Amino acid sequence: MSRRPDIANPCSLPGHPILEMRAIKKSFAGVEVLKGVDLTVAPQELVFIVGPSGSGKSTLLRCINRLEDPDSGSIAVDGVNVLDARTDLNQVRRTIGMVFQSFNLYPHMTAIGNVELALRLVLKHDRRTANAIALSALNEVGLRHKAKAYPSELSGGQQQRVAIARAIALEPKLMLFDEPTSALDPSLVDSVLNVLRDLRGLGMTMVVVSHEMRFAREAADRIILMRDGVIEEQGTAEHIFSSRARPETQAFVSSSNIE
């Protein structure tokens, strides 16, 4: 990945958006969770989605790679219509990395084994090539020295970083993070956030659902506040954390205890 340019206005970057979602609706058991959400993400943009619990943040994220199928609307990833029945969904998912709250590592495999697996099964790399790529990915997250450690020998923060290495090893065009630090002890959160900061510096396009408002204010190109299944407000961190934001946004920011 190349170094990212300075982004004054992410939507002005050349080329088509990496992600375009239009009028996305999703209901569960008759309860409308997403109520017609539009979202566009430009190349190399870091977007944070924040909001109260139950606002639809994670559901929106899971619709992008169709872990959840929206009831209506359209989704394009790097110009490919994700919802078209003719689209090879497995191929699309190769371009989308996703990191969850839980690490989902295979306990019987080492860190490098966990990272190598998709490289061999999905991309069909031979063992030597997969090993080299996996080592490079572990190096990116600061864990090359733990390549032969098993998950039980790693801290929660280290396990999450291995999960990130596994995702970026496939060289996705878009990375999705669903509350990547929520399962971690507070002392381990910074190690994961530092990886996100490094990926941002390398130009990775990322959409992050998180409650880490301090990091969002520091690192995000754009912050999106969701509430009750809609995007209530979005803008730069400077805007969201200012008196120019909507009163509801100011109240949410205040409740997050950001200094």
Side-chain angles (χ1 to χ4, degrees):
M1 291 178 287
S2 60
R3 286 282 171 187
R4 71 198 305 275
D6 292 332
I7 298 179
N9 178 1
C11 294
S12 68
L13 288 170
H16 57 71
I18 291 293
L19 173 66
E20 287 186 281
M21 307 179 79
R22 294 286 178 263
I24 297 298
K25 294 185 178 183
K26 178 65 178 178
S27 296
F28 295 100
V31 177
E32 196 173 22
V33 176
L34 298 176
K35 304 174 181 178
V37 177
D38 296 336
L39 175 62
T40 300
V41 177
Q44 302 182 350
E45 191 178 12
L46 172 54
V47 175
F48 259 71
I49 303 178
V50 302
S53 297
S55 58
K57 307 183 299 295
S58 291
T59 299
L60 182 66
L61 203 69
R62 292 169 66 87
C63 283
I64 295 171
N65 62 0
R66 288 183 56 193
L67 290 177
E68 299 288 353
D69 282 328
D71 298 327
S72 62
S74 65
I75 302 174
V77 175
D78 199 29
V80 176
N81 182 351
V82 175
L83 302 181
D84 191 321
R86 297 166 295 182
T87 296
D88 184 342
L89 187 55
N90 288 328
Q91 181 64 39
V92 169
R93 284 175 174 163
R94 293 176 192 176
T95 69
I96 305 171
M98 188 159 187
V99 176
F100 301 89
Q101 299 177 35
S102 55
F103 319 127
N104 297 324
L105 300 179
Y106 290 104
H108 64 287
M109 302 179 72
T110 61
I112 195 167
N114 271 278
V115 178
E116 282 182 348
L117 187 62
L119 291 166
R120 297 180 64 193
L121 295 182
V122 178
L123 298 187
K124 307 300 183 184
H125 288 312
D126 60 55
R127 183 179 294 275
R128 177 178 293 183
T129 301
N131 183 266
I133 295 172
L135 278 176
S136 178
L138 287 171
N139 189 58
E140 288 283 351
V141 301
L143 287 179
R144 187 186 179 98
H145 65 296
K146 293 289 187 178
K148 295 185 178 181
Y150 288 89
S152 62
E153 299 172 319
L154 301 173
S155 69
Q158 289 172 332
Q159 290 183 60
Q160 188 63 292
R161 286 152 62 192
V162 172
I164 294 172
R166 178 177 56 189
I168 65 174
L170 298 175
E171 298 187 345
K173 296 178 180 178
L174 172 65
M175 279 290 296
L176 310 177
F177 295 87
D178 189 4
E179 295 284 7
T181 62
S182 66
L184 300 179
D185 183 278
S187 64
L188 303 175
V189 167
D190 282 349
S191 67
V192 174
L193 295 181
N194 285 337
V195 172
L196 268 65
R197 185 180 290 109
D198 291 343
L199 291 177
R200 179 183 187 267
L202 290 171
M204 176 64 75
T205 305
M206 294 181 282
V207 179
V208 183
V209 168
S210 179
H211 61 279
E212 297 289 343
M213 294 294 291
R214 184 173 288 103
F215 184 75
R217 182 173 66 177
E218 172 195 331
D221 295 306
R222 183 160 42 115
I223 299 174
I224 291 172
L225 174 63
M226 288 190 67
R227 191 188 305 273
D228 297 327
V230 300
I231 293 177
E232 189 168 78
E233 187 165 14
Q234 60 181 301
T236 63
E238 180 183 10
H239 172 80
I240 293 296
F241 286 90
S242 75
S243 59
R244 301 191 305 277
R246 291 163 54 100
E248 297 86 352
T249 301
Q250 294 183 50
F252 176 78
V253 170
S254 296
S255 70
S256 301
N257 299 316
I258 303 299
E259 296 177 358

